[in-house]
Amino acid sequence: MRWRAAGVQRLTLQDITAKASVEAWSEAHRARLEYWRPIFDRLSIAPGELSDRFCPVQREDLTCQLLVLAECADDNDVMALLLAMRQAGFVMTQPNVLLVPAVVLGEVNRRSRLAEQPRLDTVALQTPKHVLFSLLDDVLSWAIQAGASDIHLTLQARRPNADIAFTVDGWLVRPAQFQVIKTQMLNELLSIAWMGVRGGNGAVFDPGHEQQGRLERCVKGRDIGLRWASLVTGQGPSVCLRVLNPKGRERVPPLSDLGYARDQLAMLERACSGDGGAVILAGMVGSGKSTTLAALVQEIPKTRKVITLEDPVEYELDNALQCLVTSLHEQTQHTEHTNDSDLAIKLKTIKRSAAHDVLIGEIRDRLGGQALMDLVLSGTSVYTTLHASSVLQVLLRLSSPMIGVPQSLLAMPGVLRLLVYQALLPKLCLACALPFEQWLSHAPLRCSLNRVRSVQWAKQWWQSWIAATGVSPELVRFRHPAGCVDCQRAAVATLNGCRGRFMVAEMIEPSADPGFYEAIGRVGLAQQVSSWQAQLLSGGGCDLQHYRPIRGQAFDYLQAGWLDPRDYERHFGVMP
C-alpha cells in the first residue's frame, strides 16, 4: 500500500485505538448502499491493492466509513487505512468500521467501476512512503519526550503482539500504549523503514541476519538520527535503535558540567594537552562515554588539527573534521574479499593530513587495535572508547586476542595517557526521598532485584547491610515509590522518586602514578592487573596511589543521600 498525506495534524496511535469503533452489516444498510462512493482516489490508493478486503467510502451525509470483510477485521491494515483517512481530513461516521459480507463489498466496487465519477482532488499525505511511518514517529516522539537513549523493537514470532521497549535513565520500560502493536504490523514497519537506512548491509530487511545502518527521521520539525542494529534471536529479530544526538539539540556540554570530581576533572583537562598517547573511556552501554569523548575533544585548542573517525557521528564538533566511516569491525563482515587496504589508506591519509589529534569512535576488534597502535606510535594523540567493566579491565581488554595490542606496548611510558571507567547512577529526588523506617510503610517493598519482599525480610537485609558496609543509617535515603510533584513522570512511573542521573568514575593516569609502570615491569601486565583486582575484592587498598575505585565514590553519594542503597547494590554489590 502506498498512500500519502501532508499539511494535516498527525494522529497518534492512541487516537486511532480510542476512536476506532465497529458495527456489523444489517439489511438496513442495503437501502443506502447505492449512495456510497469509494474514495480510493482521494487517498492515492490503487483499488486493486485493497478492494477485495477493504473499501473506504463516503456516505450520503458526506461522512466516511471503512467497509471491511468480517474475516479481515483483525488485519493490521485496518488501523493503517483508518489513520490515512483521518490524516486526509475526512469526517468519520460512528461507528467508523462496518463489517460486511464479501457480496456487499463486491457490489460496492462493481457500482464504482460502472459509475462515471469525476476525479476529486487528491490529498497529499505527510508521512513519506508509508502510513506506518506514523507509528514509528509516535515511538520516536515518546522516546525524545522521555529522554530515551535506545528503542527496542522485538518481533515475537510465537505471540500476536510485538515487544516495544525503551531505555530511559538506564531502565528498560514498556509503555502500555505500545504493547498492543501486532507482530505482523511491526514486521512490515521495519521492512519499509529499512529502505531508508544508509550504510546498511543488505538491500532489504532480513529477519534471519544481523544488520546495521543509520536511519534519519524528521519528527515534529526535529532531525533525529537512529543507529540501527538488529539481532537474530530464537523468538524473532530484535532491532535496537540508538537515538543519536539530533541536529539542533543542545551543544556538547563542557567537561565541568558532566559531574566529575575535581581531581578527575583535572586529569581529563591534562589529557587534552601534550602530544601522543591514548585516552580511553570505558563503561557499560548508556554510561555517557560518547558525551564525555565529545566534551573532551571540544576542549582541545583550535591551534591543533582534530580528525574523527565515527560511525555514526553523534555530536557535531566545531573544532574537528568529522569523517563518517563504516565501523572498523564491520569492514570484515561486509566485504567478500577481506583486506586491510581501506583502513591502511584511511590511516595514511590522516597522517598525511598532519592531524595532531584523532578520535576513533570505538575500539572493538583487531582492526581497531591496529589503528590505535599505528596512530599512537606515530606521535598522534588518540581518543576512543571501548566496552569494559572497570578501568583495570581496560588493560586486559586491549591486550586480549580480540583487540591484540601487545602487553609490551601498553607497558611503554607515554602510550597510555589516561584510562577512564564511568557509570551513570539514578539520583534520588531529595524532596521526597525516605529514611529506612518511613520507606518500610510504603508497600510493596522491593529489593535490588525488583522482587517484592516482606517487612521482616527488609529489616533483616538492612541490618546486614549496615554491618557489612559500615554506612551511617541516619544519612541513607530510599526512593519514594510514588514520587512527588518534583519527580513524578506519568510516562515512566518506574522512575518516580528519581531526578536524573549523576556521574561516578574511576581513572588511572599512568604518568602521574609511578607505581603503575614499576608494578607492570616487575611481574607483567596480566599478572599485575589480577593482583590489583584481588586487592580490591578483598576490601584492601591498591598499590596505585592515585587510583580510587568507582564504588568508593558511589559510596560517598550513598551516604550523602543521593543514591538508593538498592541501586548501589545493583551496580556494585554490598561491600564498599
Side-chain angles (χ1 to χ4, degrees):
M1 293 177 293
R2 301 180 181 276
W3 49 78
R4 305 178 184 245
V8 294
Q9 182 178 2
R10 186 176 59 80
L11 296 174
T12 65
L13 180 65
Q14 299 95 304
D15 294 328
I16 303 169
T17 55
K19 295 179 180 180
S21 52
V22 179
E23 69 174 330
W25 170 265
S26 69
E27 288 302 313
H29 293 97
R30 189 175 295 278
R32 303 195 301 271
L33 191 60
E34 63 180 305
Y35 300 104
W36 295 354
R37 295 289 181 267
I39 53 173
F40 282 114
D41 57 338
R42 296 181 64 181
L43 292 169
S44 294
I45 303 172
E49 296 179 17
L50 296 174
S51 58
D52 59 337
R53 295 178 292 149
F54 317 115
C55 185
V57 297
Q58 188 171 60
R59 297 158 57 103
E60 63 270 30
D61 59 357
L62 301 183
T63 62
C64 295
Q65 195 170 36
L66 180 59
L67 308 185
V68 180
L69 288 184
E71 57 265 36
C72 299
D74 295 328
D75 197 302
N76 294 321
D77 291 335
V78 172
M79 183 180 293
L81 192 50
L82 280 175
L83 175 60
M85 294 173 71
R86 292 189 182 127
Q87 285 182 320
F90 296 127
V91 178
M92 302 298 295
T93 299
Q94 290 295 333
N96 44 46
V97 174
L98 178 60
L99 302 181
V100 300
V103 64
V104 172
L105 195 63
E107 178 65 12
V108 171
N109 286 306
R110 186 184 67 83
R111 293 183 181 185
S112 172
R113 290 192 296 269
L114 293 176
E116 294 183 0
Q117 303 180 75
R119 185 173 180 83
L120 302 177
D121 291 337
T122 298
V123 180
L125 290 190
Q126 70 177 7
T127 34
K129 295 188 179 178
H130 200 284
V131 71
L132 286 181
F133 269 117
S134 294
L135 171 58
L136 177 60
D137 290 346
D138 283 346
V139 171
L140 291 179
S141 295
W142 193 97
I144 297 300
Q145 183 178 1
S149 59
D150 296 274
I151 304 168
H152 309 272
L153 309 173
T154 302
L155 300 173
Q156 304 184 109
R158 300 183 183 91
R159 299 181 182 179
N161 291 348
D163 180 29
I164 298 181
F166 303 80
T167 301
V168 182
D169 286 352
W171 293 78
L172 197 65
V173 297
R174 291 177 170 84
Q177 64 266 37
F178 296 115
Q179 302 311 302
V180 297
I181 306 300
K182 300 295 184 183
T183 295
Q184 180 182 349
M185 175 179 284
L186 183 61
N187 182 56
E188 183 180 355
L189 172 61
L190 293 174
S191 297
I192 296 173
W194 179 259
M195 298 178 185
V197 168
R198 291 187 300 148
N201 53 321
V204 297
F205 173 61
D206 187 349
H209 289 84
E210 270 83 17
Q211 294 178 295
Q212 299 83 32
R214 177 172 175 135
L215 179 64
E216 300 283 348
R217 291 293 295 161
C218 182
V219 180
K220 296 182 179 179
R222 301 177 67 180
D223 292 324
I224 308 298
L226 301 167
R227 186 181 67 197
W228 178 305
S230 61
L231 176 69
V232 178
T233 74
Q235 293 76 31
S238 180
V239 175
C240 178
L241 301 176
R242 166 61 59 90
V243 182
L244 306 175
N245 185 50
K247 298 176 183 178
R249 194 191 281 186
E250 69 275 6
R251 299 180 64 82
V252 180
L255 277 173
S256 57
D257 289 352
L258 297 183
Y260 291 102
R262 183 175 300 177
D263 58 331
Q264 294 174 341
L265 187 60
M267 291 184 190
L268 288 167
E269 290 174 344
R270 286 196 294 271
C272 299
S273 60
D275 291 319
V279 178
I280 302 176
L281 282 81
M284 306 301 287
V285 174
S287 60
K289 299 186 299 296
S290 296
T291 300
T292 298
L293 197 64
L296 195 62
V297 171
Q298 193 74 62
E299 294 287 327
I300 298 174
K302 291 191 175 181
T303 54
R304 300 176 63 86
K305 184 173 183 178
V306 182
I307 296 177
T308 74
L309 298 175
E310 303 172 80
D311 178 34
V313 173
E314 298 194 33
Y315 286 94
E316 294 184 0
L317 302 173
D318 295 336
N319 64 332
L321 300 175
Q322 294 180 269
C323 303
L324 179 62
V325 297
T326 301
S327 297
L328 297 180
H329 76 288
E330 291 176 6
Q331 292 186 20
T332 60
Q333 299 175 10
H334 298 168
T335 57
E336 293 182 2
H337 304 289
T338 301
N339 56 64
D340 299 344
S341 60
D342 291 341
L343 177 59
I345 292 173
K346 178 66 71 174
L347 293 176
K348 182 183 294 185
T349 303
I350 288 176
K351 288 183 286 187
R352 289 180 174 177
S353 297
H356 298 92
D357 305 86
V358 174
L359 181 153
I360 301 176
E362 184 177 350
I363 300 295
R364 305 186 199 180
D365 58 15
R366 296 188 68 87
L367 286 179
Q370 291 171 15
L372 176 68
M373 289 186 287
D374 187 26
L375 289 169
V376 169
L377 291 177
S378 68
T380 304
S381 298
V382 179
Y383 305 83
T384 188
T385 69
L386 57 73
H387 289 284
S389 57
S390 73
V391 73
L392 294 176
Q393 287 290 332
V394 171
L395 297 168
L396 298 182
R397 182 108 164 83
L398 287 172
S399 61
S400 69
M402 181 65 69
I403 296 179
V405 178
Q407 295 188 15
S408 58
L409 183 62
L410 297 176
M412 184 183 299
V415 171
L416 297 177
R417 188 187 301 176
L418 182 65
L419 305 178
V420 180
Y421 174 80
Q422 64 186 43
L424 292 174
L425 303 179
K427 182 181 180 181
L428 289 176
C429 173
L430 301 183
C432 65
L434 302 169
F436 177 74
E437 293 299 331
Q438 292 184 23
W439 173 71
L440 282 179
S441 63
H442 288 75
L445 304 177
R446 296 184 179 275
C447 67
S448 60
L449 297 177
N450 204 35
R451 296 172 181 168
V452 176
R453 301 293 190 177
S454 66
V455 172
Q456 183 61 30
W457 183 94
K459 289 181 178 180
Q460 293 176 353
W461 165 79
W462 184 229
Q463 290 303 316
S464 299
W465 221 87
I466 294 173
T469 63
V471 67
S472 302
E474 68 278 3
L475 300 178
V476 178
R477 294 294 181 267
F478 288 75
R479 181 188 306 120
H480 195 303
C484 65
V485 293
D486 292 333
C487 65
Q488 285 176 339
R489 301 170 70 172
V492 194
T494 308
L495 300 180
N496 285 343
C498 293
R499 298 194 67 179
R501 294 188 288 176
F502 62 89
M503 175 76 72
V504 289
E506 58 183 22
M507 300 184 183
I508 294 179
E509 188 178 17
S511 63
D513 201 324
F516 180 84
Y517 292 115
E518 180 182 348
I520 291 177
R522 185 172 60 250
V523 299
L525 178 66
Q527 186 174 346
Q528 184 56 55
V529 169
S530 298
S531 175
W532 284 330
Q533 289 180 325
Q535 294 173 18
L536 296 172
L537 289 175
S538 65
C542 180
D543 294 339
L544 297 173
Q545 299 177 10
H546 302 293
Y547 166 67
R548 189 187 184 204
I550 189 173
R551 61 193 303 162
Q553 185 184 12
F555 193 76
D556 292 343
Y557 287 117
L558 175 74
Q559 294 212 107
W562 283 25
L563 181 63
D564 190 304
R566 293 167 296 172
D567 289 327
Y568 180 94
E569 187 174 285
R570 186 179 295 113
H571 285 84
F572 307 109
V574 177
M575 294 302 295

